[in-house]
Amino acid sequence: MSRRALASLLTLVLVGAAGCLYPGAEVAYVQTPHAVVDEMLRLAVVGPSDVVYDLGSGDGRVVIAAARDFGARGVGVEIDPKLVAESTESARRAGVADRVTFRTGDLFQTDLAPATVVTLYLSPELNLRLRPKLLRELRPGARIVSHDFDMGDWPSAQTLSVHFRERGSLLRLWIVPRQS
Ligand SMILES: C[S@@+](CC[C@H](N)C(=O)[O-])C[C@H]1O[C@@H](n2cnc3c(N)ncnc32)[C@H](O)[C@@H]1O
């Protein structure tokens, strides 16, 4: 491909991504593939006693999978109300409406205290801004799993490299420590 064609393609991709950015959203809507969602929930060892919060929940797939396939309860927080409506309808169709909730709102304004597991697919900058809130509000032992992005100099407890349709993803797990 010529440089010019490559530049045009890049512009299209960037404009397309910007077009997906809901007002107030700090990252665009990009879905985690279902197979990768499954690996994220396995990495956090999600089970029936867990409450899984997906911050920036998109179409609700992470929270719905946590309830349907792992028996957990879950909450999705998403700034785009259309995606929240779609998530609520998908949860009803998946038969998990009684165990999941989707809220329209800003993830930074969400109380995280009830969560035992938090899942993220945001950006390195947002993860870093979120880190003090996660450490302040989550209970010791709570698990955080991030698709692709790190948490600055907070080393992860475990990483998992997954491949899906020729795209590699790196999943990271952190455990909230006891307050010192
Ligand atoms: C990359 S998508 C991830 C969607 C889903 N978690 C997944 O893994 O498939 C990030 C989502 O975060 C939402 N978002 C961005 N900024 C937000 C904010 N401040 N509060 C709540 N949601 C936000 C976007 O609208 C988008 O749907």
Side-chain angles (χ1 to χ4, degrees):
M1 187 185 288
S2 72
R3 274 174 163 241
R4 203 171 186 180
L6 190 63
S8 309
L9 185 64
L10 195 62
T11 306
L12 271 179
V13 169
L14 290 174
V15 169
C20 291
L21 204 60
Y22 188 81
E26 298 176 80
V27 288
Y29 171 45
V30 181
Q31 299 162 337
T32 298
H34 289 289
V36 178
V37 168
D38 188 62
E39 296 292 350
M40 290 173 76
L41 297 171
R42 284 182 195 284
L43 184 60
V45 198
V46 169
S49 59
D50 281 312
V51 180
V52 177
Y53 273 49
D54 188 31
L55 302 183
S57 50
D59 67 358
R61 58 182 57 204
V62 177
V63 169
I64 291 169
R68 185 191 56 217
D69 305 334
F70 295 82
R73 285 176 294 132
V75 175
V77 182
E78 169 57 52
I79 205 152
D80 181 345
K82 261 177 68 183
L83 289 172
V84 171
E86 185 185 328
S87 304
T88 304
E89 175 55 19
S90 300
R92 192 191 60 75
R93 275 192 269 112
V96 296
D98 56 334
R99 278 184 289 132
V100 304
T101 310
F102 292 99
R103 300 179 191 154
T104 304
D106 185 339
L107 61 93
F108 283 98
Q109 304 303 319
T110 300
D111 175 19
L112 304 179
T116 59
V117 174
V118 170
T119 54
L120 308 169
Y121 184 25
L122 297 170
S123 72
E125 294 75 23
L126 277 195
N127 277 9
L128 254 191
R129 274 175 49 208
L130 203 51
R131 181 173 136 179
K133 180 174 169 65
L134 293 165
L135 286 167
R136 195 170 56 241
E137 295 181 9
L138 292 174
R139 62 194 77 186
R143 292 93 80 204
I144 303 161
V145 176
S146 173
H147 178 185
D148 271 348
F149 305 116
D150 66 17
M151 244 351 136
D153 61 4
W154 184 11
S156 52
Q158 220 177 311
T159 57
L160 179 67
S161 177
V162 289
H163 280 84
F164 180 73
R165 294 204 177 135
E166 293 166 24
R167 185 191 181 283
S169 297
L170 190 65
L171 309 182
R172 295 177 171 86
L173 169 77
W174 294 266
I175 314 280
V176 173
R178 268 179 212 295
Q179 249 110 44
S180 49

